[in-house]
Amino acid sequence: MYKIIILLFGLILSFSKESFAQENVSKLDCFTYLMEEKEIGVDRIIDRVNSFSSNNCDNFNFGINNKVVWIKIESKKFDSYSNPLLVLNSSSLDYVYLYPVQNGEVGNYQVSGRLTGIEKRHFQSHKIVFQLTPQELASDFLLLKIENTDKKIFLAYIVEDEEFKSIIDFENIFFGLLTGVFIGLFFYNLFLYFSVRDKIYLVYVLHTVLVWFAQASILGFTQVLIWPEWDWMNIRSIVIFSSLVSIVGIWFLRIFLLTKHYVPKLDFGFNIIYFVYFFILVNAIIFSTTLSYQVILVTQSIVVLYVLFVAWATLRLGYRPARYYLLAWSVFMIGIFLFVFSEMGIIPTNNLTAYIMPFGSALEVVLLSFALADKINILKKEKEDEQAEKLQILNQNEQLIREQNNMLEQKVRIRTDELEHALRTLQNTQSQLVNQEKMASLGQLTAGIAHEINNPINFVSSNITPLKRDIKDIMEIVEFYRSSGQREFTENTKKEAKQLEEDLELDYVLEEVEQLLKGMDDGAKRTVEIVKGLRIFSRVDEQDVKKVDLHDGINSTIILLNSTIPSKIRIVREFGELPLVECLAGKINQVFMNILNNAVHALSDNLDNISDPKITVRTKPFADHVIVEIEDNGPGMPEKVKQRIFEPFFTTKAVGKGTGLGLSIVYSIIENHKGTLEVVTEEGQGTTFIISLPIYQNVPKNE
């Protein structure tokens, strides 16, 4: 750290001496000048040249104002030079005009400045330089006209062309070294940010970038390197970046020193400072750059003292990182005060005051980087102490925790076994209750519906045949009247009868009556079939084991599901010659209903992906048992779903669309019938339920 500080300090001192220690380099420290409020022509100024004021060889600062400064330079100062250059040390002057005056007449003039463009400058450097022509060297005197929106500092020297090249090379090296320091700190702290993810390092990186832009703007390098033709930014860059540096610097201070925690009342004052800098930025961007520059100089002087006081107050409260911050800010404060005082004309302006700000800013950035590194060490030590304390507590409680864990594990094991047993019992009981309630409700509902529909449909179906016979008799009478009328009626009566038949559309009515009777007959037969299916499915009157034709149960179930089966799905029956099977018909029908319903849902959800969706019901007889296979060519099931489909309350359907009890009840019914239920499935290959039922529930009987 000390080597970097010594290096930077040595550079600034060596440059302040190097600029004027070379041969054929002469500082223009004595001249006369005139300041005017308004724009006045050079001819009128020549008439008043004898009334110019002397600077007494020590005043180079003409303040921050909108006035125009005229400076008279005697030509005899250039007599000892063969190829002299007039160099202005300040690069932040808008326009500088050089007029040669000979016998009261003005010759061809030169113009330079930050608003004239880099291409017009000598060597395209960051300095304002005039190459003196023979006409200018032979003149009686030279007049310099300076126009600037902010500070007006005239610090100039005369140098030979070759000597100026060496000065420019030295300043470029000086600025390059400063830039190298900033780049190194930038990447070092950016690496720290990505390592520790602490936003203070990101704020510091932003502060480093803005400090570089601010100092490069003061020295004129931003115009050379970044925006050579952007006049709007060339005028305002010093004010804008100086304000942003202060804003981000205060932001860094508040995070680094934890001012909200240690000095909350002083921390509130920074909000007022933010407002002032916001005013400076808005005013510089929209209104007057001159006013913003005046305000920022006063504000900077107050802010550095306030920040120093806040850091001192934080250090007094015992916050160790404040030491490095105080050191860094003290160095920066010295640079700020020297720069501000020279800008305001309180102290003389020279090379040291002109370059003290870059030196102070670079040193501040270096010291703040070390402050951040010291903070890491502090946090590391605090963390180590905290970890040591926690480790001690853990060691003290380790034995107790181990004993408690053993005891708790034993209790948890016992309690877990009890809970698992209780859960299984509860699931079985709940499944049985739901099954019984569902079967009772379903049986009563279907039996009631079948009974209620059966009476009126019997009335309809039994009356259709007599109705057909009566209609036929009536048709015979009508036909007899029509044929008799053709023989017996007069011509007028025939016409009236014919007209009446046409008005009533008798032929159409007779045809429609025949179609209506046929539709009523078909509907009655269909309804009788549905009622029969309901009665077969419910079997509420059969509470005991009886011999049942399983094909009737399957057919009745398909009839009841017919309204929910999409037209694209085919039902294929591959029935074998089954004997009558002893079972509870209602419960076996419920098995068929649940499995077929699941197959319909599986196919309905994937109709777009299956070319020929179908459900195949296959029956096979064996010596002592029968097999019923219900197969679909749907999407199938993954292995993890297959392993759980018979668990109570497990469902793959959306919330509200399934209870998860259907297949659990099916499994219980088949198990109670001493049968087996097997599932064969694979993803993308469909699903097959294989039901095996014994022909006899007890000892086989000889028929």
Side-chain angles (χ1 to χ4, degrees):
M1 178 183 71
Y2 297 106
K3 292 181 179 179
I4 296 177
I5 297 174
I6 293 172
L7 174 62
L8 292 174
F9 189 71
L11 282 173
I12 189 65
L13 289 180
S14 63
F15 176 71
S16 63
K17 295 178 180 179
E18 182 71 19
S19 296
F20 301 108
Q22 302 181 42
E23 296 180 4
N24 299 321
V25 177
S26 175
K27 182 179 179 182
L28 284 175
D29 50 3
C30 297
F31 52 83
T32 58
Y33 67 92
L34 176 68
M35 295 181 63
E36 287 291 337
E37 293 283 353
K38 299 180 181 179
E39 180 72 26
I40 300 177
V42 65
D43 295 331
R44 294 181 58 188
I45 292 299
I46 293 174
D47 296 336
R48 300 173 55 186
V49 72
N50 294 326
S51 62
F52 278 22
S53 302
S54 173
N55 74 324
N56 297 322
C57 302
D58 60 359
N59 182 24
F60 308 104
N61 194 329
F62 300 100
I64 303 170
N65 49 59
N66 292 318
K67 295 181 179 180
V68 177
V69 178
W70 293 87
I71 295 175
K72 177 184 176 184
I73 302 175
E74 299 295 337
S75 298
K76 62 183 179 181
K77 292 181 179 290
F78 308 101
D79 291 344
S80 59
Y81 295 90
S82 60
N83 190 22
L85 301 175
L86 178 61
V87 182
L88 277 67
N89 220 26
S90 176
S91 60
S92 58
L93 298 175
D94 293 345
Y95 293 102
V96 181
Y97 298 87
L98 179 65
Y99 298 96
V101 180
Q102 178 71 33
N103 298 324
E105 298 293 332
V106 179
N108 296 328
Y109 69 90
Q110 299 184 47
V111 61
S112 186
R114 64 182 175 186
L115 300 186
T116 60
I118 293 296
E119 292 77 3
K120 296 182 180 180
R121 296 189 187 180
H122 198 59
F123 296 127
Q124 296 185 1
S125 69
H126 58 284
K127 291 186 176 296
I128 299 175
V129 184
F130 292 100
Q131 176 78 58
L132 298 181
T133 62
Q135 178 189 10
E136 291 164 345
L137 294 174
S139 62
D140 296 334
F141 58 87
L142 300 176
L143 280 177
L144 277 177
K145 177 185 177 183
I146 300 175
E147 298 178 1
N148 199 28
T149 54
D150 45 63
K151 60 182 180 180
K152 296 179 178 64
I153 297 177
F154 178 71
L155 185 63
Y157 54 89
I158 306 169
V159 63
E160 289 285 357
D161 197 333
E162 293 300 323
E163 296 292 343
F164 177 71
K165 293 180 182 178
S166 62
I167 293 175
I168 289 298
D169 291 340
F170 183 84
E171 290 194 12
N172 289 336
I173 293 172
F174 172 76
F175 181 74
L177 289 174
L178 285 179
T179 302
V181 171
F182 278 92
I183 292 175
L185 294 174
F186 172 85
F187 284 106
Y188 170 70
N189 286 278
L190 190 63
F191 170 78
L192 288 179
Y193 166 71
F194 286 111
S195 299
V196 302
R197 293 294 179 179
D198 189 344
K199 70 175 182 179
I200 191 171
Y201 293 98
L202 193 60
V203 176
Y204 174 82
V205 167
L206 179 61
H207 177 68
T208 302
V209 173
L210 292 174
V211 168
W212 183 88
F213 270 97
Q215 301 310 317
S217 298
I218 293 173
L219 297 175
F221 282 95
T222 53
Q223 185 176 7
V224 176
L225 301 174
I226 303 176
W227 45 71
E229 303 299 330
W230 192 6
D231 292 342
W232 186 91
M233 180 58 78
N234 287 331
I235 294 175
R236 297 168 175 81
S237 60
I238 296 177
V239 175
I240 290 175
F241 287 111
S242 297
S243 301
L244 292 177
V245 164
S246 300
I247 292 172
V248 177
I250 293 173
W251 184 17
F252 175 85
L253 161 70
R254 299 174 77 177
I255 299 174
F256 183 77
L257 297 184
L258 304 175
T259 54
K260 284 187 178 180
H261 173 72
Y262 287 101
V263 284
K265 293 182 179 179
L266 294 176
D267 179 79
F268 180 78
F270 289 122
N271 296 324
I272 301 174
I273 295 174
Y274 282 151
F275 176 78
V276 174
Y277 280 117
F278 178 76
F279 164 77
I280 293 171
L281 285 172
V282 172
N283 185 72
I285 294 172
I286 300 176
F287 301 107
S288 171
T289 307
T290 302
L291 177 60
S292 292
Y293 202 88
Q294 292 171 336
V295 175
I296 197 172
L297 288 179
V298 178
T299 303
Q300 295 282 45
S301 302
I302 298 173
V303 168
V304 293
L305 292 175
Y306 188 77
V307 168
L308 190 68
F309 177 72
V310 171
W312 175 78
T314 307
L315 180 62
R316 285 196 60 187
L317 293 174
Y319 189 58
R320 176 181 166 183
R323 296 182 304 170
Y324 272 106
Y325 192 89
L326 270 175
L327 176 62
W329 195 259
S330 298
V331 173
F332 183 64
M333 183 186 67
I334 294 172
I336 284 283
F337 273 116
L338 290 177
F339 179 76
V340 170
F341 287 166
S342 67
E343 297 286 279
M344 298 175 67
I346 298 176
I347 62 175
T349 302
N350 51 41
N351 278 347
L352 180 62
T353 59
Y355 287 89
I356 193 64
M357 266 297 288
F359 171 74
S361 298
L363 195 55
E364 180 227 10
V365 170
V366 172
L367 291 174
L368 287 181
S369 180
F370 284 110
L372 285 174
D374 182 66
K375 184 179 180 181
I376 293 178
N377 294 330
I378 294 173
L379 293 176
K380 182 179 178 182
K381 187 177 183 303
E382 291 176 352
K383 187 175 181 180
E384 289 175 352
D385 295 340
E386 182 181 357
Q387 289 177 343
E389 183 179 354
K390 289 181 179 179
L391 183 61
Q392 183 179 2
I393 296 173
L394 289 174
N395 290 333
Q396 293 175 354
N397 296 329
E398 184 177 358
Q399 186 64 32
L400 179 61
I401 292 174
R402 189 181 297 111
E403 294 175 358
Q404 290 178 345
N405 284 341
N406 293 333
M407 186 183 302
L408 287 174
E409 286 177 2
Q410 185 177 1
K411 290 182 178 180
V412 168
R413 192 179 302 111
I414 297 172
R415 185 59 176 164
T416 301
D417 293 339
E418 294 175 353
L419 289 175
E420 288 180 351
H421 178 71
L423 178 60
R424 287 193 296 269
T425 303
L426 179 61
Q427 287 178 340
N428 292 333
T429 303
Q430 189 170 12
S431 176
Q432 292 174 6
L433 290 174
V434 172
N435 183 18
Q436 292 174 1
E437 184 65 26
K438 184 174 181 181
M439 284 301 297
S441 300
L442 181 60
Q444 292 174 0
L445 177 62
T446 54
I449 292 173
H451 178 72
E452 293 298 329
I453 294 176
N454 192 51
N455 290 332
I457 203 60
N458 284 339
F459 175 79
V460 173
S461 60
S462 62
N463 288 335
I464 287 177
T465 301
L467 179 61
K468 284 183 177 180
R469 188 171 57 251
D470 294 343
I471 293 295
K472 184 178 181 182
D473 293 342
I474 293 171
M475 290 302 300
E476 288 180 1
I477 295 173
V478 170
E479 186 61 32
F480 172 76
Y481 282 137
R482 292 178 72 182
S483 60
S484 298
Q486 291 294 327
R487 297 191 305 270
E488 303 293 337
F489 290 168
T490 64
E491 290 299 324
N492 291 334
T493 305
K494 289 180 182 180
K495 290 181 179 180
E496 291 178 1
K498 183 66 174 178
Q499 183 64 39
L500 181 59
E501 288 181 8
E502 291 178 355
D503 291 342
L504 297 178
E505 297 180 349
L506 180 60
D507 293 336
Y508 174 76
V509 170
L510 295 176
E511 183 180 350
E512 185 178 27
V513 167
E514 184 178 355
Q515 291 178 353
L516 290 175
L517 288 174
K518 185 177 182 301
M520 292 170 64
D521 191 20
D522 293 341
K525 290 179 180 179
R526 176 62 178 163
T527 307
V528 169
E529 185 181 352
I530 293 174
V531 170
K532 181 181 177 183
L534 285 172
R535 296 182 65 186
I536 293 174
F537 179 81
S538 62
R539 300 292 179 97
V540 293
D541 55 337
E542 299 177 4
Q543 300 298 328
D544 298 327
V545 174
K546 293 185 179 181
K547 292 183 178 181
V548 176
D549 186 352
L550 295 183
H551 291 162
D552 289 342
I554 294 172
N555 289 329
S556 65
T557 302
I558 293 174
I559 290 172
L560 295 179
L561 287 175
N562 192 50
S563 63
T564 63
I565 301 176
S567 59
K568 289 185 178 181
I569 299 177
R570 294 192 298 123
I571 304 296
V572 180
R573 296 175 177 86
E574 297 179 1
F575 291 167
E577 294 292 333
L578 294 185
L580 297 179
V581 177
E582 289 185 352
C583 64
L584 295 173
K587 292 188 177 294
I588 293 300
N589 289 342
Q590 186 182 3
V591 170
F592 297 149
M593 173 70 76
N594 285 337
I595 295 178
L596 286 169
N597 193 41
N598 284 346
V600 170
H601 286 171
L603 292 174
S604 299
D605 295 339
N606 296 273
L607 288 178
D608 296 337
N609 303 325
I610 304 173
S611 59
D612 181 23
K614 66 179 180 178
I615 299 173
T616 303
V617 182
R618 190 179 298 110
T619 60
K620 302 175 183 178
F622 290 90
D624 58 349
H625 68 282
V626 295
I627 297 293
V628 179
E629 296 181 359
I630 302 176
E631 177 185 353
D632 67 73
N633 59 347
M637 291 181 283
E639 185 64 26
K640 61 181 180 180
V641 174
K642 175 185 173 183
Q643 298 297 329
R644 299 187 61 193
I645 58 173
F646 297 123
E647 293 181 10
F649 308 107
F650 173 77
T651 180
T652 58
K653 297 178 182 177
V655 177
K657 292 187 176 181
T659 62
L661 290 173
L663 291 178
S664 174
I665 293 171
V666 165
Y667 190 83
S668 299
I669 293 172
I670 299 299
E671 192 177 50
N672 292 335
H673 280 77
K674 303 176 185 179
T676 61
L677 179 59
E678 183 182 355
V679 182
V680 178
T681 183
E682 188 177 344
E683 276 193 279
Q685 301 298 322
T687 302
T688 303
F689 284 85
I690 304 174
I691 303 168
S692 174
L693 288 173
I695 297 175
Y696 301 102
Q697 289 296 311
N698 298 310
V699 179
K701 300 179 181 179
N702 294 323
E703 297 295 337

